[in-house]
Amino acid sequence: GAGVSQSPRYKVAKRGQDVALRCDPISGHVSLFWYQQALGQGPEFLTYFQNEAQLDKSGLPSDRFFAERPEGSVSTLKIQRTQQEDSAVYLCASSSDRNIQYFGAGTRLSVL
Amino acid sequence: KNEVEQSPQNLTAQEGEFITINCSYSVGISALHWLQQHPGGGIVSLFMLSSGKKKHGRLIATINIQEKHSSLHITASHPRDSAVYICAVPLRGSQGNLIFGKGTKLSVKP
């Protein structure tokens, strides 16, 4: 596609439910980043992939968060046993180099 | 202390006004990004600059590496410029992970 696509755009989950958020990067982009943006705050780094390799997961807040990119294209961010503090916008960005990052529209997760 | 600080946090302007948003950072960087975020979450990259000045339409971004400071200017502001403007720098030693400021919420009134 022309840009980074994320789905779903909105997700409401009950506390304790597992969720999966999808990111379709720009075709051919090697680098893929996940960020978490709490209400009123700037985004914060979660994890980074170079092709299928997860080179940095230092930003994942707990072991309930898991990300994968098995074929070096589409990536999924999974959150297990969701908690209220997980409510945020989850942004995906892709890049063909280490410079300009192209962002998706984000997935707004609300945990009730 | 945040490594990237923006000011002001909120800014209201009348259509046509010249607008300046400031960004200061405390780490050494190779480049600085200015991003625009509209309601609903989507982020658009406006500029990436490592020195001097860049201009795109009514938007101008400047950076002073020695002073660790950047500014984003909007000339002849318009209500459609209303958005959150975010400054971000890559984390040194990372693969390009960005550290973001908290953003400046701009509202331009007609």
Side-chain angles (χ1 to χ4, degrees):
Chain A
V4 178
S5 177
Q6 289 188 246
S7 60
R9 286 295 317 278
Y10 303 93
K11 176 68 180 177
V12 178
K14 291 183 181 177
R15 192 166 46 186
Q17 189 178 347
D18 296 350
V19 298
L21 313 179
R22 177 186 168 109
C23 173
D24 256 293
I26 292 173
S27 178
H29 277 192
V30 166
S31 299
L32 186 145
F33 301 82
W34 281 100
Y35 296 94
Q36 179 192 55
Q37 185 176 21
L39 189 64
Q41 303 295 315
E44 292 191 356
F45 169 75
L46 292 176
T47 186
Y48 165 74
F49 288 87
Q50 185 177 83
N51 296 307
E52 69 279 3
Q54 188 175 20
L55 297 187
D56 188 344
K57 52 182 181 180
S58 62
L60 296 177
S62 79
D63 59 8
R64 295 186 295 103
F65 286 71
F66 171 77
E68 60 183 5
R69 193 185 185 197
E71 296 177 4
S73 179
V74 171
S75 176
T76 304
L77 176 66
K78 297 180 179 177
I79 309 173
Q80 297 176 322
R81 303 181 304 282
T82 51
Q83 303 294 315
Q84 277 191 317
E85 63 262 28
D86 300 335
S87 296
V89 175
Y90 290 86
L91 294 161
C92 174
S94 71
S95 174
S96 60
D97 50 30
R98 293 192 201 177
N99 295 322
I100 297 286
Q101 293 185 24
Y102 295 86
F103 286 81
T107 294
R108 183 177 296 277
L109 172 65
S110 298
V111 181
L112 305 179
Chain B
K1 181 183 181 299
N2 262 355
E3 289 171 299
V4 181
E5 300 271 1
Q6 283 185 240
S7 64
Q9 210 169 346
N10 292 284
L11 181 56
T12 300
Q14 285 299 125
E15 184 173 356
E17 284 184 3
F18 180 83
I19 287 161
T20 296
I21 299 170
N22 296 300
C23 175
S24 297
Y25 51 92
S26 58
V27 295
I29 63 167
S30 53
L32 180 142
H33 299 251
W34 280 104
L35 309 160
Q36 181 192 55
Q37 185 171 31
H38 279 282
I43 289 180
V44 174
S45 182
L46 298 174
F47 295 102
M48 189 188 71
L49 66 166
S50 53
S51 66
K53 176 177 166 178
K54 283 191 176 180
K55 184 174 189 295
H56 186 256
R58 294 180 295 104
L59 301 178
I60 304 166
T62 63
I63 189 168
N64 184 318
I65 294 290
Q66 287 72 31
E67 294 187 4
K68 295 186 177 177
H69 180 268
S70 176
S71 293
L72 177 69
H73 305 286
I74 306 175
T75 62
S77 59
H78 191 276
R80 65 174 173 266
D81 297 327
S82 299
V84 175
Y85 292 84
I86 304 174
C87 166
V89 300
L91 178 65
R92 176 159 282 198
S94 76
Q95 300 288 339
N97 319 343
L98 295 175
I99 305 172
F100 295 80
K102 290 189 177 180
T104 295
K105 186 174 181 181
L106 171 65
S107 178
V108 181
K109 306 291 186 190

